[in-house]
Amino acid sequence: MADPSLLLPNPFTPLAFVPPEDAYTVAIAVYVLIGTLSICIWDGLHCLSQDYLLLFKKEIGLCTITYFLSRICTFGFALTAAIFATGPIKHCATYQTVNNIFYVLAIPMTAFLFFLRVRAVYNRKKNVSVIFFTLWLALLGYLLSLVTATKGINIGSTDYCTYAPLVTRDSGTGVFLFIHDTLVFLAISWRLFSISHVDNNAGKGLKVVVLGRYLPAFSKAILHDGQVYYLMSIATVLVALALFFSTNLPIPMRVVFSVFTVTITNIMACRVFRNVKLGLYRKQGDLSRS
């Protein structure tokens, strides 16, 4: 019997061209992408009835348009990323550019939902709107510069694809998101604290910011949803950055968690939007009192 170590790899199997010590990790990266796409599809089906109400039973304005654009772009990003990792695409460079376009559109659309949220919480104050719109423009401008940053290449002589070597500036998106989400969270928390009508007591102030104590039910629900979004966003962004800078990992594993991050943050942001737009918070308290 021939020694298996002397057999040539199957030229039609993409993992045959991956170093043996990296093959297992690369396979895990593919599973993460498939799982992320499954989560995206499940969320779309789960929220189908609410999306129907937003589209046909509610007035369609800038917020609703942004909401649907963010969901479409995020689904497109998750779908194209999963196909890139699993399908015999052949034209990898061109296809990865398409994936990058969905990427640079999905994140700003999700971030714009929170710009509209901050503007509403501050009752459209001009100075606050200018500051956060400028922050959003900075995020958009940086992302547009990344349309051709992440490149796709063929795996060996196969039609399957992988990522070209990464450059450091690709990590800037995670840093931008960290700054953006932190400033949005702090701004909303401060605004809710300022309308809580508590005296100058540090203990009560902490309870307002952390627990939503002394706030009307509507404002408390907004604060708690914002806290959940912020914790999920920061946790996934930090993991994505940690993997990106782990140079001992194969490139697919360093990149793959960014897809999960974009998908989860969009799901959370859209959940917050639906709760407000469909009046789900009103079941927790009288809107007029808040």
Side-chain angles (χ1 to χ4, degrees):
M1 182 178 294
D3 185 355
S5 64
L6 300 178
L7 296 177
L8 292 176
N10 182 350
F12 300 104
T13 304
L15 285 181
F17 295 89
V18 177
E21 62 273 15
D22 293 338
Y24 178 71
T25 308
V26 171
I28 291 177
V30 174
Y31 299 152
V32 171
L33 286 174
I34 297 300
T36 300
L37 178 61
S38 300
I39 293 172
C40 196
I41 294 173
W42 176 86
D43 179 70
L45 295 175
H46 178 72
C47 302
L48 199 58
S49 60
Q50 294 179 338
D51 287 345
Y52 173 81
L53 293 176
L54 289 173
L55 197 57
F56 296 105
K57 302 297 182 179
K58 297 288 184 179
E59 181 181 354
I60 298 179
L62 178 61
C63 296
T64 304
I65 294 173
T66 303
Y67 165 82
F68 281 106
L69 285 176
S70 72
R71 287 179 69 79
I72 292 171
C73 291
T74 300
F75 176 75
F77 178 51
L79 177 63
T80 53
I83 294 175
F84 179 85
T86 58
I89 297 169
K90 189 175 183 178
H91 303 289
C92 299
T94 302
Y95 188 86
Q96 180 57 32
T97 301
V98 175
N99 181 242
N100 289 344
I101 292 173
F102 279 115
Y103 176 70
V104 302
L105 291 177
I107 295 176
M109 289 297 100
T110 301
F112 197 73
L113 284 175
F114 276 91
F115 161 72
L116 296 174
R117 182 180 175 88
V118 171
R119 190 181 66 158
V121 168
Y122 278 87
N123 199 23
R124 301 190 178 187
K125 286 187 177 180
K126 186 175 181 179
N127 56 340
V128 175
S129 297
V130 169
I131 291 172
F132 281 92
F133 187 68
T134 303
L135 180 64
W136 180 80
L137 285 178
L139 175 63
L140 175 63
Y142 179 80
L143 284 166
L144 288 176
S145 71
L146 299 179
V147 171
T148 58
T150 305
K151 302 182 184 299
I153 57 176
N154 290 82
I155 300 177
S157 59
T158 71
D159 290 339
Y160 292 88
C161 303
T162 189
Y163 299 96
L166 304 174
V167 294
T168 304
R169 77 185 185 96
D170 292 345
S171 65
T173 304
V175 177
F176 256 109
L177 286 175
F178 179 85
I179 296 173
H180 177 272
D181 289 349
T182 299
L183 292 177
V184 167
F185 175 72
L186 291 177
I188 293 177
S189 298
W190 173 256
R191 176 60 174 169
L192 295 177
F193 170 75
S194 66
I195 63 175
S196 61
H197 306 296
V198 299
D199 52 21
N200 296 325
N201 183 288
K204 289 185 177 180
L206 185 62
K207 289 180 180 179
V208 171
V209 174
V210 177
L211 302 176
R213 194 74 58 83
Y214 313 114
L215 287 175
F218 181 74
S219 299
K220 185 176 181 179
I222 288 180
L223 176 66
H224 285 171
D225 258 7
Q227 288 173 334
V228 173
Y229 168 83
Y230 179 72
L231 290 174
M232 290 292 295
S233 172
I234 296 306
T236 54
V237 165
L238 291 179
V239 172
L241 286 174
L243 290 175
F244 181 88
F245 287 108
S246 299
T247 55
N248 58 316
L249 292 175
I251 294 176
M253 194 62 186
R254 294 171 59 192
V255 174
V256 68
F257 209 78
S258 63
V259 183
F260 179 78
T261 299
V262 172
T263 301
I264 291 300
T265 52
N266 176 260
I267 289 174
M268 296 300 299
C270 290
R271 175 182 180 273
V272 171
F273 172 81
R274 289 193 302 271
N275 284 344
V276 175
K277 187 69 175 179
L278 296 176
L280 301 181
Y281 288 144
R282 298 180 186 181
K283 297 178 181 179
Q284 304 177 37
D286 183 8
L287 177 62
S288 62
R289 288 188 292 110
S290 60

